[in-house]
């Protein structure tokens, strides 16, 4: 339904029908008077109003009494053909009738233009203004009417009505437009805010675990530093958590499961932080993931300095509980480094560096531990980095060699073989070999090193066997670390090294540590079985220093154990150790395993292990690790293979 904007509809309300006729006559004279209306200049500027012209003909309707008139007004309004102008007879002075009619008329249609028709000499104009108020919808017409005047009035007022009507339609349209644009704009603003929020979240959070990331943490630590500089007594601490063996799990079980494990770790951290109130008084805490398997917990507003240690202990305990991924139980644990505001830091990066350094110290102390930063650690961390870079160089330039330590039969003291021990010959890398091996293990350099060791050991053994007939039965022990055990190429490399050097596999013994077998038990076990299928013997190295109990021994495909030299050293002075070794020997004999004792330095120790029933021994008492050339000399000098103890 369209709304008319140009309207020549006129209503006459007058009790005298003859008056109606007079109006009709006056308003039907449209043709003569149409001219000026048509040549009127268009109303200024606006497109819609340009189209509106004053009517040149009128539709005239009439009513003789108020009720009839009001009904007509209501009906025409409803049918969307409202009157533009109403000529209303004011009646007898003081025009109460007419005034009431006008009032009711406007109640129904407030837009209708009213011409109040009164006899000349009646009430003054202000009587009507007083009753109805000043209005631009109201004009007074005094009788007797002039036909031209009536026509002109009707034309002008209906034009005015049309313009007002058009204006209101445009206003409505405008406001609809404005509303639509505003809604659109609001939607755009909302979307933009959402995107910005999302971007902010992405910028500050880790996508895998949903925890805050390093950037976020950095800001928070900076804030803590500022606050600690302003507020005496304000304390904070940073706990740097590194998951021990996570890389191994990731490598062997796949990244999907690795991610799930990280998510579970993150969840445990969150849960744990929620329950910290019970053990520590801390204003606020936040956990973030800052690297593959590295998390950081920031404790703000610590009230009791030792609280952060209790928190560290709690984290270690909570992360040591087994995880379950795809029905598989996984054991990981965390090493934690702690740096506290006691050192009055000025930069977040320094706090993180020190916490990281302390974390490395914790790891080197044996994992599943925490360590608090102290400045001496700086030099240790620097040293570790130095070793790493020198070791890379050594591997690249093949500055590597093997030393061989004789292994003898305890009873006959006859040489039965050697243990191959890795050495670096690059100047500056003359430190404890164990330290070098640890760095190699952490950095993955152990893989090329291990491969080289296996080959070189086989090559040297081949040479001795070729050169000396009494060397035919000599065995070779090679150490394999945890990381090597996880590498799929291990077995193939071993097979090739033996085949290329014509070494029967039963002459080779692989030494693995307890931790190597126990952590990621399944992957390691599978690899051990494959090695054993090659015909290689398997010995558990450093037995007694790790976690496994005697009862677990039969779970692994082992041919023997090597009792750690820490046992040997204390056996003489502490009788209890004798009992332990006795138990080990009994069990190993029952399981048909050989027992080698490491670190024999004195005849008493040798006598003791002999009396306990151990099979073979190794130690400075017989020989220190020696170069391949020295092995040749030794073989040369001992055709009966009996080493002088
Ligand atoms: P391990 O396998 O337990 O090797 C025995 C270590 O005990 C050797 O230390 C050896 O020199 C030392 N030792 C032997 N007899 C005595 C003794 O009577 N007294 C004392 N105090 N020490 C004795 P080394 O050569 O420093 O090697 C340390 C560790 O480094 C080895 O312990 C082994 O775990 C690791 N390692 C050495 N070479 C390799 C390698 O090629 N691959 C791997 N994965 N690890 C290696
Ligand atoms: Mg060993
Ligand atoms: Mg050992």
């Amino acid at each position: 339904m369209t709304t008319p904007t140009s309207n020549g509809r006129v209503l006459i309300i007058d009790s005298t029908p003859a008056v109606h006729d007079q109006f009709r006559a006056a308003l039907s004279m449209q043709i003569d008077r149409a001219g000026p209306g048509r040549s009127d200049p268009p109303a200024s500027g606006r497109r819609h109003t340009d189209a509106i012209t004053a009517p040149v003909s009128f539709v005239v309707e009439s009513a003789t009494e108020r009720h009839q008139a009001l009904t007509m007004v209501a009906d025409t309004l409803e049918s969307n053909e409202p009157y533009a102008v109403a000529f209303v007879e004011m009646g007898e002075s003081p025009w109460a009738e007419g005034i009431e009619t006008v009032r009711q008329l406007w109640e129904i249609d407030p837009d209708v233009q009213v011409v109040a028709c009164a006899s000349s000499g009646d009430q003054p104009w202000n009587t009507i203004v007083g009753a109805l108020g000043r209005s631009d919808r109201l004009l007074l017409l005094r009788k007797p009417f002039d036909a031209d005047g009536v026509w002109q009035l009707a034309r002008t007022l209906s034009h005015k009505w049309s313009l007002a009507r058009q204006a209101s339609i445009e206003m409505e349209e405008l406001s609809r437009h404005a509303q639509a644009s505003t809604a659109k704009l609001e939607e755009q603003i909302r979307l933009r805010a959402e995107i910005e929020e999302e971007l902010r979240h992405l910028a500050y959070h880790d996508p895998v675990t949903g925890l805050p990331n390093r950037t976020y943490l950095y800001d928070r630590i900076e804030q803590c530093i500022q606050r600690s500089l302003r507020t005496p007594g304000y304390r904070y601490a940073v706990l740097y958590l590194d998951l021990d063996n996570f890389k191994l799990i990731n490598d062997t079980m796949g990244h999907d499961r690795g991610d799930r494990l990280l998510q579970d770790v993150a969840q445990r951290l969150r849960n744990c932080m929620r329950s910290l109130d019970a053990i520590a008084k801390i204003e606020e805490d936040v956990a973030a993931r800052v690297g593959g398997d590295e998390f950081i917990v920031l404790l703000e507003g610590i009230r009791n300095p030792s609280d952060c240690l209790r928190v560290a202990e709690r984290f270690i305990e909570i992360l040591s509980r087994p995880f379950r991924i795809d029905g598989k139980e996984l054991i990981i644990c965390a090493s934690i480094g702690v740096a506290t505001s006691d050192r009055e830091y000025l930069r977040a990066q320094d706090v993180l560096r020190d916490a990281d350094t302390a974390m490395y110290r914790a790891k080197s102390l044996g994992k599943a531990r925490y360590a608090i930063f102290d400045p001496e650690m700086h030099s240790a961390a620097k040293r570790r980095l130095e070793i790493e870079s020198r070791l890379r160089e050594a591997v690249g330039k093949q500055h590597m060699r093997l030393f061989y330590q004789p292994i003898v039969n305890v009873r006959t003291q006859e040489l039965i073989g050697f243990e191959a021990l890795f050495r670096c010959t690059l100047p500056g890398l003359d430190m404890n070999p164990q330290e070098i091996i640890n760095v190699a293990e952490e950095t993955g350099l152990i893989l090329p090193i291990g491969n080289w060791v296996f080959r070189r050991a086989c090559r040297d053994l081949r040479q001795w066997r070729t050169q000396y007939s009494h060397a035919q039965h000599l065995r070779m022990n090679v150490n394999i670390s945890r990381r090597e055990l996880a590498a799929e190429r291990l077995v193939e490399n071993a097979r090739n090294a033996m085949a290329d050097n014509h070494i029967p596999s039963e002459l080779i013994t692989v030494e693995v540590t307890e931790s190597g077998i126990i952590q990621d038990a399944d992957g390691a076990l599978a690899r051990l079985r494959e090695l054993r299928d090659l015909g290689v013997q398997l010995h558990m190295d450093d037995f007694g220093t790790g976690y496994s109990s005697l009862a677990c021994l039969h779970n692994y495909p082992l041919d023997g154990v090597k009792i750690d030299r820490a046992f040997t050293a204390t056996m003489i002075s502490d009788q209890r150790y004798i009992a332990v070794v006795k138990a080990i020997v009994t069990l190993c004999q029952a399981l048909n395993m050989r027992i080698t004792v490491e670190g024999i330095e004195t005849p008493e120790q040798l006598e003791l292990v002999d009396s306990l029933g151990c099979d073979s021994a190794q130690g400075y008492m017989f020989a220190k690790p020696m170069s391949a050339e020295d092995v040749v000399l030794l073989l040369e000098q001992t055709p009966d293979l009996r080493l002088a103890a």
Side-chain angles (χ1 to χ4, degrees):
M1 187 167 68
T2 55
T3 310
T5 52
S6 183
N7 186 319
R9 291 176 58 72
V10 175
L11 176 63
I12 314 296
I13 309 170
D14 200 299
S15 53
T16 315
V19 175
H20 300 186
D21 295 339
Q22 286 172 21
F23 274 106
R24 278 203 174 82
L27 295 174
S28 64
M29 299 185 295
Q30 78 272 38
I31 293 169
D32 315 354
R33 292 163 175 87
R38 290 186 170 186
S39 62
D40 277 355
S44 65
R46 296 169 54 202
R47 221 163 51 76
H48 285 288
T49 47
D50 288 353
I52 300 165
T53 53
V56 291
S57 65
F58 298 101
V59 174
V60 181
E61 287 170 0
S62 55
T64 49
E65 49 88 28
R66 183 195 303 158
H67 182 70
Q68 183 195 7
L70 295 177
T71 308
M72 289 168 75
V73 168
D75 289 350
T76 53
L77 197 60
E78 187 163 327
S79 59
N80 203 30
E81 289 175 327
Y83 296 108
V85 186
F87 288 88
V88 183
E89 179 196 20
M90 295 314 286
E92 295 295 318
S93 191
W95 301 343
E97 271 296 304
I99 286 170
E100 190 50 31
T101 303
V102 173
R103 199 193 322 273
Q104 291 191 23
L105 203 65
W106 276 344
E107 263 171 29
I108 297 170
D109 181 358
D111 292 337
V112 68
Q113 301 287 319
V114 171
V115 181
C117 306
S119 306
S120 53
D122 271 0
Q123 297 288 322
W125 173 234
N126 58 12
T127 308
I128 198 167
V129 171
L132 293 170
R134 285 193 186 282
S135 168
D136 63 351
R137 297 170 294 173
L138 187 63
L139 280 178
L140 184 68
L141 180 67
R142 297 262 184 201
K143 288 177 184 168
F145 310 137
D146 166 49
D148 282 339
V150 167
W151 190 92
Q152 197 57 42
L153 257 180
R155 183 173 185 271
T156 308
L157 289 179
S158 50
H159 191 201
K160 179 178 171 233
W161 180 91
S162 295
L163 288 175
R165 184 97 177 163
Q166 181 61 35
S168 109
I169 289 167
E170 282 187 14
M171 280 306 290
E172 249 173 52
E173 221 167 273
L174 268 178
S175 99
R176 247 201 328 274
H177 262 303
Q179 269 173 12
S181 311
T182 311
K184 211 164 152 188
L185 209 66
E186 277 171 2
E187 176 66 8
Q188 278 173 354
I189 291 171
R190 194 183 58 75
L191 273 176
R192 200 195 171 102
E194 262 177 34
I195 291 170
E196 274 172 8
E197 180 53 39
E198 180 130 0
L199 284 177
R200 197 171 316 128
H201 190 86
L202 280 179
Y204 285 110
H205 288 81
D206 158 48
V208 175
T209 60
L211 287 178
N213 62 12
R214 186 180 282 271
T215 317
Y216 178 89
L217 190 84
Y218 225 82
D219 286 359
R220 288 284 289 260
I221 296 179
E222 291 285 357
Q223 287 166 19
C224 287
I225 291 175
Q226 293 312 319
R227 190 165 160 197
S228 72
L229 294 176
R230 286 194 311 266
T231 322
Y234 173 79
R235 276 201 179 81
Y236 64 89
V238 165
L239 275 54
Y240 208 122
L241 283 81
D242 182 279
L243 304 182
D244 303 332
N245 5 321
F246 175 75
K247 283 194 183 68
L248 204 70
I249 289 175
N250 216 21
D251 292 347
T252 52
M253 296 187 59
H255 288 243
D256 272 3
R257 289 188 184 140
D259 281 359
R260 263 184 284 150
L261 181 61
L262 289 174
Q263 284 155 5
D264 287 359
V265 167
Q267 194 51 45
R268 281 198 195 176
L269 290 182
R270 286 191 197 100
N271 293 346
C272 180
M273 292 197 306
R274 258 177 242 136
S275 64
L276 283 185
D277 290 355
I279 58 161
K281 295 210 175 329
I282 291 157
E283 263 176 36
E284 251 192 287
D285 45 45
V286 53
R289 178 170 173 238
V290 296
D293 58 355
E294 291 171 348
F295 295 82
I296 286 184
V297 174
L298 168 65
L299 305 176
E300 300 181 32
I302 300 168
R303 269 164 265 169
N304 186 345
S306 66
D307 276 354
C308 62
L309 304 186
R310 259 178 277 162
V311 174
E313 273 163 18
R314 169 63 70 90
F315 281 134
I316 287 173
E317 188 248 315
I318 272 174
L319 294 174
S320 309
R321 295 180 196 159
F323 287 83
R324 191 161 268 284
I325 305 281
D326 285 348
K328 219 173 152 169
E329 199 164 90
L330 297 176
I331 312 266
I332 54 164
C333 42
S335 299
I336 302 182
V338 184
T340 69
S341 50
D342 293 343
R343 289 191 55 75
E344 298 183 356
Y345 292 101
L346 297 175
R347 300 184 311 176
Q349 67 202 70
D350 296 341
V351 189
L352 290 175
R353 180 203 57 212
D354 287 355
D356 187 25
T357 304
M359 185 273 290
Y360 268 103
R361 166 58 61 89
K363 248 189 204 309
S364 71
L365 289 176
K367 310 197 169 172
R369 285 167 183 255
Y370 69 86
I372 303 160
F373 176 78
D374 82 69
E376 273 174 26
M377 289 181 187
H378 249 321
S379 42
K382 260 167 77 189
R383 180 179 159 79
R384 193 195 154 281
L385 267 180
E386 254 168 51
I387 297 178
E388 182 182 337
S389 76
R390 301 289 284 158
L391 191 56
R392 283 189 193 283
E393 195 183 339
V395 172
K397 294 183 178 165
Q398 297 265 308
H399 277 285
M400 305 184 281
R401 65 190 302 200
L402 283 183
F403 267 39
Y404 296 98
Q405 186 175 31
I407 301 173
V408 301
N409 178 310
V410 169
R411 243 172 321 106
T412 62
Q413 284 153 45
E414 210 175 299
L415 178 70
I416 54 174
F418 296 93
E419 176 175 9
L421 294 162
F422 175 74
R423 297 288 182 267
C424 254
T425 51
L426 194 73
L429 269 176
D430 44 4
M431 64 276 301
N432 178 355
Q434 183 70 60
E435 199 177 354
I436 293 181
I437 291 291
N438 289 348
V439 175
E441 168 87 12
E442 275 168 31
T443 53
L445 280 168
I446 193 69
L447 298 178
I449 291 176
N451 191 19
W452 180 87
V453 168
F454 213 107
R455 287 205 147 264
R456 178 53 63 96
C458 288
R459 200 194 79 176
D460 286 345
L461 183 63
R462 173 193 192 174
Q463 202 192 326
W464 305 331
R465 282 162 57 87
T466 320
Q467 225 170 325
Y468 301 100
S469 58
H470 60 284
Q472 291 312 305
H473 302 290
L474 289 182
R475 313 184 48 78
M476 181 62 80
N477 285 26
V478 180
N479 293 286
I480 297 288
S481 76
R482 192 162 61 106
R483 188 104 176 224
E484 290 173 82
L485 222 44
E488 283 183 5
R489 291 189 58 87
L490 171 73
V491 179
E492 199 187 326
N493 289 341
R495 186 193 294 118
N496 293 341
M498 292 185 295
D500 294 349
N501 293 291
H502 312 292
I503 302 292
S505 56
E506 59 271 16
L507 292 186
I508 300 292
T509 298
V510 162
E511 296 186 9
V512 288
T513 55
E514 300 180 63
S515 58
I517 307 179
I518 289 166
Q519 289 162 6
D520 181 38
D522 284 359
L525 273 180
R527 206 70 16 94
L528 287 178
R529 290 213 174 87
E530 288 173 53
L531 279 173
R532 219 177 180 211
D533 290 345
L534 288 183
V536 165
Q537 301 247 315
L538 300 179
H539 284 195
M540 188 185 273
D541 203 355
D542 305 341
F543 187 74
T545 55
Y547 328 74
S548 65
S549 69
L550 283 178
C552 291
L553 264 188
H554 70 277
N555 290 336
Y556 307 111
L558 294 170
D559 303 288
V561 296
K562 291 185 79 175
I563 297 178
D564 193 72
R565 66 171 187 273
F567 266 92
T568 318
T570 36
M571 236 172 359
I572 297 287
S573 56
D574 191 336
Q575 295 281 312
R576 283 172 304 172
Y577 282 78
I578 299 178
V580 175
V581 175
K582 255 188 196 157
I584 296 174
V585 172
T586 311
L587 183 70
C588 287
Q589 282 170 344
L591 294 170
N592 210 12
M593 290 184 190
R594 290 187 64 81
I595 301 141
T596 308
V597 185
E598 293 177 349
I600 297 289
E601 294 183 354
T602 66
E604 292 120 285
Q605 287 169 342
L606 179 63
E607 210 172 297
L608 185 57
V609 299
D610 187 15
S611 72
L612 289 173
C614 300
D615 303 295
S616 29
Q618 190 179 345
Y620 292 173
M621 188 185 130
F622 306 107
K624 288 195 169 178
M626 58 184 81
S627 65
E629 297 77 40
D630 287 343
V631 170
V632 171
L633 280 182
L634 179 79
L635 292 176
E636 189 76 51
Q637 290 159 7
T638 52
D640 60 354
L641 293 179
R642 290 178 75 89
L643 296 195

